[in-house]
Amino acid sequence: HQSPDGRRRGASPIPMHRAGYLSKLVPVPTNHWGARLQALVASLSKRSWTIEYRVDRTAPLLPPEVASRYPLLPLAVTEFLGSFARCSNLGANAWFLTSAEYAPAESQAFRWNQYETMGLDACAGPDERQAIEGFWNLHFPFMLAVHSDYDYLAVSLAPHGFGSVVHGCAPEWESTTMVAESFEHFIEAFTVSAMAPAAEYPLKIFL
């Protein structure tokens, strides 16, 4: 797996260590996340995460082809992910997906739908292909980890458990367990895990 470095396109992001200096030009996001986002950033920074705010946060997070696939995605998800140009751990092997990953680019080592693509490449026939595509139509991945079992976190858009955050991993990516009842609850739990000396499974995988 290659580091997310070099896969970001567009305007230059603002590194966290410069965010205070440039606060008048590029302020810390002030959407409804407010203090919760800043608390998470502070806790991840203590773990030496690389965090860069997105310069143009008015630009859509998702390209049209991805946005049309997930028309019911909660606003809280796009607001949070849209705050960052980059948000990855020290080893660059676990990260939040940002607009750069959701954008089409053949040169990316791991795209936002990498696990779906891998599953489709290995499927046995049209029925399995339909099942895989149907699963991912109702699960929006927003975080990947590639240092263990190709883990991911996704927002479920299925009628039962709509808006919850689920965890899955290889080889059965379509077999999931619930991590949090909502994306907001996930961010709170992830913040607590980031501050803890020893985080619990599965959140520790993504730290």
Side-chain angles (χ1 to χ4, degrees):
H1 168 65
Q2 298 178 0
S3 164
D5 285 343
R7 295 190 285 116
R8 300 295 189 267
R9 300 179 310 201
S12 299
I14 302 301
M16 274 298 299
H17 70 274
R18 297 177 58 200
Y21 176 72
L22 296 177
S23 60
K24 292 183 179 180
L25 297 177
V26 186
V28 172
T30 56
N31 57 30
H32 83 277
W33 284 101
R36 286 184 293 180
L37 185 146
Q38 295 184 46
L40 175 61
V41 166
S43 63
L44 293 178
S45 295
K46 291 180 180 179
R47 286 179 169 264
S48 299
W49 274 52
T50 298
I51 302 172
E52 298 166 355
Y53 288 124
R54 196 176 179 201
V55 174
D56 184 7
R57 292 185 295 274
T58 63
L61 170 70
L62 305 176
E65 62 271 18
V66 181
S68 63
R69 187 178 185 183
Y70 300 101
L72 301 180
L73 191 64
L75 179 62
V77 179
T78 56
E79 281 191 347
F80 177 86
L81 297 177
S83 298
F84 301 106
R86 182 183 178 195
C87 193
S88 62
N89 71 351
L90 179 61
N93 52 27
W95 64 93
F96 282 98
L97 295 171
T98 66
S99 58
E101 281 86 21
Y102 292 115
E106 295 300 327
S107 61
Q108 291 180 7
F110 268 77
R111 298 190 61 199
W112 68 275
N113 61 342
Q114 185 69 35
Y115 298 156
E116 177 185 14
T117 300
M118 293 167 68
L120 291 173
D121 288 344
C123 71
D127 291 343
E128 186 177 356
R129 171 175 288 273
Q130 184 177 13
I132 291 173
E133 291 176 341
F135 171 84
W136 289 107
N137 285 341
L138 296 176
H139 293 85
F140 176 79
F142 66 86
M143 199 168 193
L144 303 181
V146 297
H147 57 82
S148 54
D149 294 321
Y150 289 134
D151 295 79
Y152 72 89
L153 295 173
V155 176
S156 173
L157 303 175
H160 178 70
F162 180 88
S164 63
V165 171
V166 299
H167 165 246
C169 61
E172 298 294 336
W173 284 295
E174 296 79 26
S175 178
T176 65
T177 56
M178 183 185 294
V179 172
E181 293 183 352
S182 69
F183 190 76
E184 291 89 342
H185 288 161
F186 161 75
I187 292 301
E188 293 174 1
F190 198 59
T191 301
V192 171
S193 295
M195 294 186 295
E200 296 183 358
Y201 180 87
L203 295 186
K204 67 179 182 180
I205 297 171
F206 299 91
L207 289 167

